[in-house]
Amino acid sequence: MAKFIVIGAGVVGVATAWQLCRAGHTVTLVDRNDGPSGGASQRNGAQLSYSYCDALASPGLLARMPAILLGHDDAFRVKLQADPGFLLWGLRFLLNSSPRAFSRNTSALASLAAATERLMPKLMAEFALAFDYAVAGKLVLCHSAESLAKARATVKMKSALGLEVELLTQAEALRVEPALQGYADAFAGAIHSPNDAVGSPSSFSEGLVAGLMARYGLRTLYRSEAREIVMKRGRVAGVAFRNNEMETCDGAIVATGYDTRLLGRRSALTEIWPVQGYSTTVSAGPDAMRVSITDPTRRLVFARLGETIRIAGIADIGPRQFTFEQSRFETLKRAAASAFPDRFDQISGEGWSDARPCTPSSQPHIGRAKTPGLYLNLGHGTLGWTLCLGSAERLATMIADDRA
């Protein structure tokens, strides 16, 4: 067996460490933060969207793009950048918005999501993890007869992929989730995916790391920023750090989200761009929703985590270096209050923000880099939590094949 260093301890990196440990490898998990899930995995939307893992680039979003570029869409904002990488990413994103590309990309994502759904019970049987996991199901609201008609095509496509989804009338959706009685807008119906789940990705990562350390001897190296992949005889031999001594290894996995600077000239990977989002977590209160709800008009998700509700949304595409903007968090709060005025009109939860590492196709980069011994598992966009176990399994299979 070999010695591997996994760089990045978000849900994707932690899941990758699990797969490598199970295969008998010696694994060191590295992150520049104080512990696991210090970045985008910390307080994301919390939904395990096994049946609703749609690619971001879509015909519907393309139709809204003129309004987005003119600043008429509160939930989606684009700041054009004089950056060749940004322009190339944007062009590829538009090309992936065709119906054919959307269907192809969503099908590929569904395959990875199905693997996560299959692996999650196995992982939970191996480790006693407490992360507010629940198979709560999900409702994606359709506000008009037109959107309901389009949803029929979506349900047909997903059913063909083997996904369990159904189209509900408004009355049926209200029976599935009575809390929709407090929803402010009229809606025609909803797409229901009963097998979708929720869970706290940060609690999952923390618990899994502790379990891997106890069972497999996983070694962690936090507050350590990787500076360079060290080569010897044309293949990976170690990782050098800005603030620690070099670590030797037989192979390295880069699971750093949108930050690909570590790859340098060893990869032509230029098509991951940060798409910034915001979230807050509030007390559930009496009669709060238990089924996850997606409001596509406001681009908001509501997920029940134990006795709290995670509210997440906003998609801001702009500079690589981003900061928390209070005005955008206020936009999230206003949107939540307008959706459920009696429940979220006085949100006191703390605002949080980070960026999803998005590729133009929404398909992550999983596999071998050009350098022998160097592997990639990054670019999962809005679906890192949903795809983490499936992408880790796929990468572990590639590594096993390389070492056979």
Side-chain angles (χ1 to χ4, degrees):
M1 291 294 104
K3 179 180 179 182
F4 282 94
I5 295 177
V6 178
I7 306 168
V11 285
V12 172
V14 170
T16 301
W18 172 57
Q19 284 287 337
L20 293 175
C21 285
R22 290 182 72 207
H25 299 297
T26 300
V27 182
T28 297
L29 181 65
V30 171
D31 201 279
R32 63 188 176 190
N33 293 297
D34 293 337
S37 289
S41 300
Q42 190 178 89
R43 280 186 275 176
N44 63 21
Q47 295 186 345
L48 288 155
S49 299
Y50 301 135
S51 301
Y52 215 92
C53 45
D54 292 10
L56 181 61
S58 67
L61 185 59
L62 183 62
R64 292 169 54 197
M65 194 56 67
I68 291 170
L69 292 173
L70 290 171
H72 298 161
D73 189 318
D74 285 343
F76 207 120
R77 187 173 68 178
V78 176
K79 288 185 178 180
L80 298 178
Q81 305 294 306
D83 181 324
F86 176 86
L87 298 176
L88 182 59
W89 185 93
L91 176 61
R92 289 175 173 169
F93 184 88
L94 294 176
L95 292 173
N96 276 280
S97 298
S98 70
R100 178 178 293 182
F102 172 72
S103 179
R104 180 183 66 247
N105 293 330
T106 299
S107 176
L109 295 170
S111 177
L112 287 171
T116 295
E117 184 179 17
R118 169 176 52 81
L119 289 166
M120 187 64 78
K122 295 181 180 180
L123 185 148
M124 294 175 66
E126 184 177 0
F127 301 98
L129 303 182
F131 59 105
D132 291 319
Y133 179 78
V135 181
K138 180 173 181 173
L139 289 166
V140 180
L141 303 182
C142 302
H143 286 85
S144 65
E146 181 183 2
S147 64
L148 195 64
K150 291 180 179 178
R152 289 190 178 92
T154 299
V155 169
K156 183 178 180 180
M157 179 190 76
K158 294 188 174 185
S159 296
L161 295 174
L163 303 175
E164 186 175 347
V165 292
E166 58 184 346
L167 200 59
L168 304 183
T169 65
Q170 182 193 61
E172 290 168 335
L174 287 168
R175 284 197 290 272
V176 170
E177 181 43 80
L180 281 172
Q181 295 283 0
Y183 185 65
D185 299 344
F187 65 98
I191 301 173
H192 182 217
S193 46
N195 295 328
D196 282 4
V198 294
S200 167
S202 56
S203 298
F204 169 88
S205 298
E206 291 164 4
L208 182 52
V209 166
L212 293 175
M213 293 173 70
R215 177 162 298 188
Y216 295 108
L218 173 74
R219 179 169 169 259
T220 59
L221 194 61
Y222 298 131
R223 295 177 294 279
S224 298
E225 186 173 358
R227 174 176 58 83
E228 182 185 5
I229 304 296
V230 178
M231 309 291 296
K232 187 175 182 180
R233 296 191 181 97
R235 65 171 297 115
V236 170
V239 177
F241 297 90
R242 298 187 189 282
N243 52 345
N244 274 311
E245 295 182 359
M246 189 191 89
E247 295 277 334
T248 61
C249 63
D250 300 305
I253 294 91
V254 178
T256 51
Y258 60 84
D259 188 353
T260 61
R261 291 173 296 176
L262 181 63
L263 298 173
R265 297 178 181 177
R266 296 191 180 95
S267 173
L269 189 62
T270 59
E271 54 176 46
I272 295 178
W273 202 267
V275 176
Q276 189 177 5
Y278 289 76
S279 79
T280 189
T281 306
V282 301
S283 174
D287 304 320
M289 68 273 294
R290 294 192 175 276
V291 176
S292 292
I293 296 172
T294 294
D295 184 336
T297 299
R298 296 175 176 85
R299 298 194 68 84
L300 284 184
V301 298
F302 301 87
R304 178 75 174 255
L305 290 175
E307 296 306 312
T308 65
I309 301 292
R310 175 72 50 81
I311 306 170
I314 306 289
D316 288 350
I317 305 175
R320 284 189 181 274
Q321 302 300 319
F322 55 88
T323 59
F324 180 91
E325 293 187 27
Q326 185 64 33
S327 63
R328 295 301 280 158
F329 177 54
E330 295 299 325
T331 298
L332 178 85
K333 290 167 61 177
R334 285 195 302 271
S338 69
F340 292 93
D342 294 336
R343 188 168 300 281
F344 301 123
D345 59 331
Q346 296 292 330
I347 291 178
S348 57
E350 177 189 12
W352 176 86
S353 180
D354 210 293
R356 307 95 158 184
C358 291
T359 66
S361 66
S362 293
Q363 293 192 49
H365 291 282
I366 306 168
R368 307 166 184 89
K370 293 182 178 179
T371 302
L374 181 61
Y375 298 88
L376 309 178
N377 198 358
L378 69 175
H380 294 71
T382 61
L383 295 167
W385 185 206
T386 299
L387 306 180
C388 65
L389 300 185
S391 61
E393 180 186 56
R394 181 173 296 180
L395 181 61
T397 300
M398 292 180 185
I399 291 173
D401 289 344
D402 288 348
R403 301 194 65 82

